[in-house]
Amino acid sequence: MAGKVKWVTDIEKSVLINNFEKRGWIQVTENEDWNFYWMSVQTIRNVFSVETGYRLSDDQIVNHFPNHYELTRKDLMVKNIKRYRKELEKEGSPLAEKDENGKYLYLDFVPVTYMLPADYNLFVEEFRKSPSSTWIMKPCGKAQGKGIFLINKLSQIKKWSRDSKTSSFVTQSTKEAYVISLYINNPLLIGGRKFDLRLYVLVSTYRPLRCYMYKLGFCRFCTVKYTPSTSELDNMFVHLTNVAIQKHGEDYNHIHGGKWTVSNLRLYLESTRGKEVTSKLFDEIHWIIVQSLKAVAPVMNNDKHCFECYGYDIIIDDKLKPWLIEVNASPSLTSSTANDRILKYNLINDTLNIAVPNGEIPDCKWNKSPPKEVLGNYEILWVIRTLFPSEVGSVIPAPRCCVYDEELAQGDGADRELRSRQGQSQGPKGGRSRDSGRTVLTTWK
Amino acid sequence: MEKRMNASLQRPEIKLQSLKEDIKEFFKISGWEKKLQNAVYSELSVFPLPSHPAAPPEHLKEPLVYMRKAQGSWEKRILKSLNSMCTELSIPLARKRPVGEQKELLNKWNEMGTDEPDLSLFRPVYAPKDFLEVLINLRNPNYENGDSLSFRTHLGLIQVPLKVKDIPELKEFFVELGLTTGQLGIDDSTQVPPELFENEHVRIGQKVLAEQDSAAAQQYIRQGSPTALRAELWALILNISSQPEDILYYEQLKTNVIQHDLLVDSLIYKDVKLTASNDDYYFVFEDYLYQVLLCFSRDTSVLGHFAYNSASPPKSYIRGKLGLEEYAVFYPPNGVIPFHGFSMYVAPLCFLYHEPSKLYQIFREMYVRFFFRLHSISSHPSGIVSLCLLFETLLQTYLPQLFYHLREIGAQPLRISFKWMVRAFSGYLATDQLLLLWDRILGYNSLEILAVLAAAVFAFRAVNLMEVTSLAAAEAVLADLSTLKVMPLLQIFLFATVT
C-alpha cells in the first residue's frame, strides 16, 4: 500500500478539500491517475455513460452510484417505492399489510404523488375527492427549491393536462416533467414555525444493503410563521424550508441559520410529548429510510467502486408521523454558519473514514465492513454481513436494526426481517438504541 | 382555592353532627388534602420564616440596613437612566394605543418577532457588568477588617462579611449529589445499563406525579428529572395547575398589552432581539418570549413578591402630578425593570411548555421564587451577593494557586463568572444540561448551586487557565461552556476533590 491517495474533485468546497489535505492526500487532475474522485452528479453521468464513459480500475473510488437517480429523482423514487410495495403485496409479505381504508400500515411514508403529465387523469380523480386540498408541484430534475409552487385549483396546472388543446407544451422531455404531491398542510410546528429534517445517510453497498445514518442531522426552520391560509400559498418563505430560499428572507439569521440539531428536537419532543411517542417517531424515521433504500436496491447498479452520501429530507406532521419528501444525491456542502461548517467538515471526515479505510489507496474489492471504531458520528442503520468466526453459534446483540448471516439473509429476506421485528413491541420499529438494543438474534452458519 | 373547597363541601355525605371528621375524610378521598398540603408547602418554600414580632416590614425584605441603602441607591440610578432615556427619545413611559394599532397587534400576536420596530435608539437600562460594579463597592460600615493582610483576607472583589457555606457544609446540604447516589446527568449515560438506576428512577417519578405531592417531588428532583416528566414535576413543585381562572388572568394581561404600550416593551423587544434570537437553542421560541414578557410587565400580582425582596418597585407619577401620592403608580405595573439578558430566564422554559398561559405561570413563579434574587442586593444566602462571595471563597480556599494567578494577571474570576450566575447559566450551557441544573435549583430551593458550578467550571479548566497571561485570554478559555456536563463537574468538585 505504498503511495498516497490521489484525489480529484469538481466541487470546490473547503469542507472537502480540507479533509483531503489533512489526510496528506495528493491533488491530481481528472486526466491523471486518480484514486478518489468526489464528483458532482453531472460528472458521474459522464463517467458511466455509454459514449463517454470509461472503466474504473480496482484502486479507484467515486462518491456516487451510476444510477443514483432511481432514488434521487422525485418521480423515480416514487415509482420505485410504489413498485416495491406492490411486490411485497404480491408476495403476501406482512410488511405490505393495509388498513381498512386501503392504506399501507407500514409503508405509507410518501405523500400521495403523481407524475405529470403522465398521470394527469389519475391526479384529477384524486384531486376531486378532496377539492380543498393543497398540492405541491415540483420539477423532477431541479434542486434547492427551484421551480416549486403550490396549487389548490385545477386551473393552476392546466398546462400539464394531456388533453389540453391550448397546450404549447409539445415535448415530454424529462426536463419538463413534474411530480405533484399532496401537500402536508398539518406539519408539526415548533414555536409556530414549520421545519423539516435533513438527515445524512451513507450507503456503501446496495446488495447486500449496508447503510449508516449520521447522528448529527438538523432541522431547518422557516423564518416566517406557518399559516395554512390560502393567501400565503405564494409566499415561499412560509412553505419551503430549503436554506437556499430562506437565506433571502428578511429575517434570516446568520448565527444559527435557522437550524436546530436533531438532539434539540428530541429534547423538545420528549419534554412536551413524552418519551414513548418520541422514540416511536425516530424509529419510524429510521424505518422509512431503510425501506426507501430497499425499494431501490434491486434496480441500483451496485458498482463496487461506488459509495454515496445522501441527504434525506423528512417532514413530520402534527400527529408525529414522518413523511419522506425527497432524497438528495448531492447534499449541499456550503456552510451557512460556523456550526454548519463544523458539522459538514465532520460529516465528510467520517464519510471518508468509512469509504476509504485507513486513508490508504483503496481496493474496491474490500469487504466494505468497516470496524465499529471508524464510524465516528455515523451509526449503523442497516447492515447485513457475514458472521465473524467468533460469533458463530452465539447470541449476538443487535446494533441499530438487524445483523445476520448473509447467506441466510439472501434466501428469505422478508421473513427474517419480520421475525426480528416481532421481538419488539409493535409496528415497524427497527430496534432501539439502548433498551431493546439488547434484543438478541441467534444466528447460525 | 378556598372558594372551590367550599363549593365542594355541599355534599350529602357531610353531616352536621360529625362535621369535622366528615370533612377530613372527604378531603382525603377527593384529593383536596393533597392540594392543601401542596399549597401550604408552596407558601413555606417562598416566604421567609416568621421573624421577631417587633421587626418592621423592611426587615422581611432585607435585615441589614447597609444592604437596603445600597439597593435603594441602585434603584434610583436605574430609574434615572430610564427616565433620561424617556426624555431623550421623547417617548412616554406609557400610552394608550389607538384602535387601529390595537387591531394590528392582535392580528400579529403570534408572530411579534417579525415586527421590526426601530430599536436602534434604545439601550438596555443596565447590563450585568454595571450591576457587578455596584456589588464590588458594597461595604459594611460596621465592619473593620484592618489594613494588615493575613491568610484570612478575602482576595476577591466582594468585600462584605456574609456567611457562606464551605465544602463540608455544601456536601451535607447537597448530600443527594454524592458519589453513591444515582443521578440523572451521570447515571443515565448510554454506557450505563438503564436497569442500574434510570428505569427505577423513572418509575418513582411517575409515582410521585400520580400522588401529586409537592414535597415528595421536590425531594425526588434532587437526583434529576427524566425529560418526559420534567414539565409536570416542575409544575407540581411550583404548585402550578392551569385552572380556568389562570387562563382567564393571562388573557386579561394580553388585553392590557393590546390596549397600552409601555416603554419597557421596547426594552423587552431589544433584549430578545439581542439575546434569544441569536441563540442556537432558543431562536425558535422568539415569539413566545414576547408573549410572556410583555404580559409579565403588566402583571400587578408580581408586586406581592416585593414583600420579601430587598428591592422595591419604582414609582412614577401621572403627568403633571409629580409628588402627589394619590397619582403614584408603579412602573412598570409589575415593578420589574428588565435588564440585558432578562429574556433568557424565560427561554429554557419554552422547551417544556408550549401552551402560553402555562408557560407564563411557570415563568412568573420561577421569577418570584428564584430569579429576582439574582439582580437585587440582599444578604439572603441565595442572593447574588452571597453567591458571588461563595464562588470567590470556594475558589480561594480550594484552588488558591489558580485564584492568585488570575488575580495577578488582572483577571479576577468573578468578572468572568458573574454573568453566568446572574443568568442562572441560561444561554451558556446546552439546554439539556441547563435543565438538569435547574432541576437542582428547584430540588434544593436554593441558588447556591450556581456558585458551586461556577467554581467547578474554573476547577475543570484550571490547567489552561494557569497558562494565560491576560483577562482576555482567560475569557477565551471560558468562552464556550456548551460542551460541559454539569453533574459530573459538580460531583467531582464537591465529592471527589482532595481538599
Side-chain angles (χ1 to χ4, degrees), chain B residues 229-247:
Chain B
L229 305 179
R230 184 175 277 125
E232 284 181 67
L233 277 171
W234 284 22
L236 179 56
I237 295 172
L238 298 169
N239 206 30
I240 305 274
S241 60
S242 268
Q243 301 296 329
E245 54 256 30
D246 300 313
I247 301 178

Side-chain angles (χ1 to χ4, degrees), chain A residues 73 113 122-123 258 265 337 394 405-406 417 440-441:
Chain A
R73 258 185 64 125
T113 303
L122 286 172
F123 162 69
L265 176 67
T337 67
S394 64
D405 185 89
E406 183 166 331
E417 279 163 45
V440 292
L441 289 173

